[in-house]
Amino acid sequence: MTGTSRRILLKAATASLAFPAIVRAQGTWPNKPIRCVVALPPGGGTDAIGRKAMQRLSEVLGVPVVVENKPGAGGTIGSDVVAKAEPDGYTLGIATASSHAAAPVFRKDLPYDPVKSFTAVTLLGTTPYILIGGPAAGSKDLAGFIAATKANPGKVPCASLGTSTLGYLLTKQFELIAGLKMIDVPYKGSGVAYPDLMNGTVAVMLDNPSGSAGLVREGRLTGFAVTRKSPVLPDVPTFESLGVKGFDDVFWYGVVAPAGLPQEIAQRIQKALADGFLVDPGRAALRAMDVEPVMSTPQEFASLMAKQTADLRALADRLGIKPE
């Protein structure tokens, strides 16, 4: 064998040894932009929390994380997009108590299973509910609103994000506890309901403070009561302190991916978010939006979704609400 032949063979052997490493490098996650589906419009609490979390993820991973808003049907349209995506780590979704716990209580035809169709990545945090209202509420306090609504049964318009959402379910619970009858007016998201609350088209809405606290502080909307004490709205009383007792008090936000996501990717995302939001300044930033950071493990988050779905089915049974 000539020297030239030996050099050619040596180069070929070196290249063949390097090839698997090149393939591994090209396949290392992430090596391209990630999309995160928010199943509600811009301007509400879910959108704000999702963007905050994805900004942190982008900073840690070193790739763009693009938020796509796909609203409709109480968050189930966008959630279905996530469920049907490839489980390669390049599609994530912001799950909520509505889209992944309440929806199966209301809909027989839900196009996804809230547990089996997804990989639970992490529970981001929890927030209370607040009853907000505008000029059509007819009062600036809860007792006055209840009295005015009782005097006009079936006439007071109440905004919701649709009949498959937790807010709708809790609104029905509030009506039962307070002895009220309101008209449901569905919206695609909180952000598009706020103008109608302020101009008097609808009277009230059960919302999360992460989206509406600023409007309440500015006096553009009235905060009647919260389901648990809110650090961002300390002057708003709790329902319980005003004699309205028995509310389920927590709404949650989480990150999910399509079923089959490799656990090492889920754990990497969870760690990036936990490292960013369980300490300041990230923790303070979420608390400023009235979200208490949790950043649970994927396993803990999956267990929570399954448990809350069962709890909400029991609540719906008590309220006489059946899936359609």
Side-chain angles (χ1 to χ4, degrees):
M1 182 180 293
T2 66
T4 301
S5 297
R6 281 195 295 272
R7 284 193 296 273
I8 291 171
L9 287 172
L10 179 61
K11 288 181 180 178
T14 303
S16 67
L17 290 172
F19 182 73
I22 292 172
V23 171
R24 288 194 299 272
Q26 290 176 340
T28 299
W29 180 88
N31 59 16
K32 64 180 182 180
I34 297 167
R35 71 165 176 167
C36 176
V37 176
V38 173
L40 291 166
T46 302
D47 182 66
I49 300 303
R51 290 178 185 276
K52 180 72 70 175
M54 292 306 108
Q55 179 184 358
R56 162 68 185 176
L57 196 60
S58 177
E59 292 168 354
V60 173
L61 298 179
V63 297
V65 182
V66 180
V67 173
E68 295 183 9
N69 295 90
K70 293 187 177 296
T76 60
I77 291 176
S79 296
D80 190 41
V81 170
V82 177
K84 288 179 169 57
E86 290 296 321
D88 55 7
Y90 292 101
T91 298
L92 303 175
I94 301 299
T96 69
S98 287
S99 61
H100 282 66
V105 174
F106 290 99
R107 290 184 55 180
K108 291 180 179 178
D109 63 342
L110 196 66
Y112 57 84
D113 184 290
V115 176
K116 295 178 182 178
S117 301
F118 299 89
T119 298
V121 176
T122 188
L123 175 65
L124 292 170
T126 63
T127 187
Y129 268 97
I130 180 172
L131 183 68
I132 55 175
S139 177
K140 291 286 189 178
D141 61 73
L142 185 64
F145 168 71
I146 290 174
T149 304
K150 283 184 175 179
N152 294 279
K155 296 181 180 179
V156 176
C158 175
S160 79
L161 302 192
T163 56
S164 61
T165 63
L166 180 57
Y168 175 85
L169 180 60
L170 295 185
T171 297
K172 294 304 174 186
Q173 186 182 28
F174 170 57
E175 287 182 294
L176 180 66
I177 294 169
L180 306 179
K181 177 65 175 177
M182 296 186 287
I183 303 171
D184 179 63
V185 182
Y187 288 81
K188 286 188 175 182
S190 299
V192 293
Y194 297 151
D196 280 359
L197 283 163
M198 289 185 282
N199 67 28
T201 301
V202 288
V204 293
M205 178 181 183
L206 265 179
D207 191 35
N208 307 120
S210 52
S212 54
L215 298 172
V216 174
R217 285 194 297 267
E218 294 166 7
R220 299 167 71 185
L221 289 173
T222 297
F224 291 102
V226 288
T227 55
R228 74 179 183 200
K229 201 63 180 173
S230 167
V232 301
L233 294 169
D235 296 332
V236 178
T238 64
F239 282 96
E240 187 169 7
S241 71
L242 298 175
V244 178
K245 301 181 179 181
F247 259 129
D248 290 349
D249 65 351
V250 169
F251 184 85
W252 53 257
Y253 306 97
V255 177
V256 296
L261 180 74
Q263 277 301 300
E264 57 267 27
I265 293 180
Q267 290 164 0
R268 189 173 171 190
I269 295 171
Q270 189 274 337
K271 185 178 187 304
L273 295 173
D275 289 347
F277 292 111
L278 291 181
V279 295
D280 291 333
R283 175 172 55 191
L286 287 190
R287 286 178 173 170
M289 302 168 77
D290 215 348
V291 174
E292 185 60 31
V294 178
M295 309 301 154
S296 64
T297 67
Q299 295 76 19
E300 290 168 340
F301 185 27
S303 296
L304 170 77
M305 284 196 287
K307 181 182 184 303
Q308 192 181 34
T309 298
D311 291 345
L312 292 180
R313 287 188 193 279
L315 174 59
D317 286 343
R318 293 199 303 271
L319 297 174
I321 296 174
K322 301 298 181 183
E324 297 180 358

